[in-house]
Amino acid sequence: MPRANANARPTTGAESTGSRRAFLLGAGAAGLAAMLPHPGRAQTPLPDIRYFRIGTGTTSGTYFPIGGLIANAISNPPGSRPCEKGGSCGIPGLIVVAQATTGSVENIELLRSGAVEAGLAQADVAWWAYSGTGSFKGKPPFEALRSLGMLYAEAIQLVVRADSGIHSTKDLAGKAISLGEEGSGTLVEARLLLDAFGVKEAGLKPAYLKPGTAADRMAKGELDGFFMVGGYPVSAVSDVAARVPIRLIPIEGDIARTLRQRQRFYMESVIPAEAYPGTAATPTLALGAELLVRADRPEELIYGIVKALWHENTRRLLAEGHPRGKSFDPAKAVAGVSVPLHPGAERYYGEAGLIGNAANEPAGATLPDKPAPAASPEPPSVPPPSPVPPTTTPPATTPPATIPLPSVKPQP
């Protein structure tokens, strides 16, 4: 398992349950020790402690390290350095933890069940859940889903071995390709793109793996390639590129343009040359990564979280902690959000003068209650996972990768 520091490059390998428990108990004891009275020191009332869980993604993707940075930045446990001295500017007493998950689809279901307080998800997945369409067709619309804003754009990446003979999506037939793990947004996008480019899933040798596992198998020659949706550079892709020569497959041309016209959440993007060792500049499509909550979260709490999220201290931490952190821009946060803003978030953006102009609307305009649905073909259904009961283990100040989430199997 990766180290507890969410900013570190994830590693592979198993970690004993005993070690994980020891780490968590040690972290909890350290947190409790910081809150105990000290003899001879004037005592001040401690703020109420509140825990706030963020569903992120796999430890080898982008959501987990970004979620860990956000959790660190907006946590403000007793004894934290004051905001004006470069410390946390979050809500006093709030402790936030980033929980590793399979990604967007699972995060939506965890939010629906109340197993987490917030979750990261791709814009199109959020819209489909909200409207009960696409990969959520047949499920009740999640009309209580609310956005805190778009954080950054994440690119659709099709990574192959340089010796695979794959140079375009037309060459995928008969190849061993991982499409992403069940419950991930990567699998949703991979299926949608394969369908758009006329490549049948049954015509591949498909696998459904976590990014880290897919990268390892590709390096060993057991896979020809894998899909990944994330903000580059993604650690899984960087790791495999350090072991074997790789190629990024462009997603462009008439079909990509048609997808952009029919699917309003897609944006043109270019993964720059040498984003991974030896790779050329590669055109592709990208989507917004949004931070989501339920509508029933207290307005004052969400207002404080969004205010802390966009504080200069937080933005500095994000920019220093991950390459995608430099892309965080409050002026773009409400541009094309997939679902309505939470009232607490809308209040913050309104006070900051960002609603209206940022969304390319007349100044003073408000966001619609329901965005117009994207007129795109619905991708094959990805069964969402069963609800996961919330963890009761107190998190460390730096959210560990080992916060236990019970295994989740999609419903048949």
Side-chain angles (χ1 to χ4, degrees):
M1 292 294 288
R3 292 186 180 91
N5 186 350
N7 302 339
R9 180 179 65 81
T11 59
T12 57
E15 179 182 355
S16 70
T17 301
S19 296
R20 288 199 299 270
R21 286 176 178 168
F23 175 84
L24 291 173
L25 287 172
L32 287 172
M35 291 184 274
L36 290 175
H38 292 264
R41 182 184 300 176
Q43 302 301 312
T44 57
L46 293 177
D48 291 336
I49 301 298
R50 285 183 288 181
Y51 293 98
F52 191 91
R53 299 155 296 181
I54 303 176
T56 61
T58 61
T59 55
S60 54
T62 308
Y63 280 1
F64 181 76
I66 287 290
L69 287 168
I70 292 172
N72 276 344
I74 65 178
S75 290
N76 193 0
S80 296
R81 185 168 48 165
C83 176
E84 62 273 13
K85 294 184 178 180
S88 170
C89 300
I91 299 171
L94 187 69
I95 297 177
V96 185
V97 60
Q99 292 190 180
T101 70
T102 57
S104 294
V105 176
E106 183 181 1
N107 291 341
I108 296 288
E109 291 304 319
L110 293 174
L111 277 169
R112 193 194 296 263
S113 68
V116 295
E117 285 70 46
L120 292 165
Q122 294 155 209
D124 57 351
V125 174
W127 163 254
W128 289 327
Y130 178 74
S131 60
T133 58
S135 58
F136 290 85
K137 185 177 181 180
K139 294 186 68 67
F142 189 2
E143 294 182 348
L145 191 61
R146 295 293 181 268
S147 181
L148 304 192
M150 187 188 85
L151 305 181
Y152 62 92
E154 46 186 349
I156 301 174
Q157 303 172 54
L158 176 50
V159 187
V160 301
R161 292 178 60 102
D163 60 4
S164 65
I166 302 171
H167 295 271
S168 74
T169 53
K170 295 184 294 185
D171 302 322
L172 292 175
K175 300 293 186 178
I177 305 292
S178 175
L179 306 182
E181 188 180 18
E182 294 282 353
S184 69
T186 292
L187 180 55
V188 173
E189 304 307 330
R191 284 175 164 165
L192 192 153
L193 288 174
L194 290 176
D195 183 66
F197 281 91
V199 179
K200 294 189 178 299
E201 190 171 338
L204 305 174
K205 298 173 184 175
Y208 307 93
L209 306 171
K210 297 178 186 290
T213 305
D216 187 58
R217 292 194 184 179
M218 191 177 101
K220 294 176 180 177
E222 298 171 5
L223 284 179
D224 296 302
F226 65 95
F227 280 89
M228 178 68 214
V229 179
Y232 56 81
V234 177
S235 63
V237 183
S238 296
D239 287 349
V240 71
R243 297 168 65 183
V244 297
I246 68 167
R247 180 185 301 120
L248 298 177
I249 302 304
I251 300 171
E252 59 181 344
D254 292 341
I255 294 176
R257 282 190 289 273
T258 299
L259 276 171
R260 284 193 65 228
Q261 292 169 359
R262 300 170 69 180
Q263 168 58 281
R264 72 182 179 94
F265 301 112
Y266 281 146
M267 303 172 275
E268 284 184 345
S269 183
V270 175
I271 302 172
E274 297 298 324
Y276 306 106
T279 58
T282 307
T284 187
L285 297 174
L287 303 114
E290 296 188 35
L291 183 58
L292 305 169
V293 296
R294 292 168 55 110
D296 57 6
R297 297 301 171 200
E299 179 178 335
E300 204 62 34
L301 172 67
I302 299 303
Y303 172 82
I305 287 173
V306 177
K307 185 175 182 179
L309 175 65
W310 295 117
H311 192 278
E312 60 181 14
N313 289 8
T314 304
R315 295 181 65 189
R316 182 170 57 252
L317 177 66
L318 290 165
E320 293 172 353
H322 193 279
R324 285 295 91 197
K326 298 180 177 70
S327 302
F328 279 54
D329 185 353
K332 299 177 181 177
V334 297
V337 289
S338 59
V339 299
L341 288 172
H342 187 281
E346 188 168 7
R347 175 181 154 199
Y348 170 79
Y349 292 120
E351 290 178 0
L354 297 173
I355 289 181
N357 292 335
N360 296 316
E361 298 167 345
T366 57
L367 297 176
D369 290 335
K370 286 194 177 184
S376 60
E378 293 174 352
S381 176
V382 181
S386 303
V388 179
T391 177
T392 57
T393 305
T397 301
T398 299
T402 53
I403 294 297
L405 273 179
S407 59
V408 178
K409 296 182 179 179
Q411 298 292 333

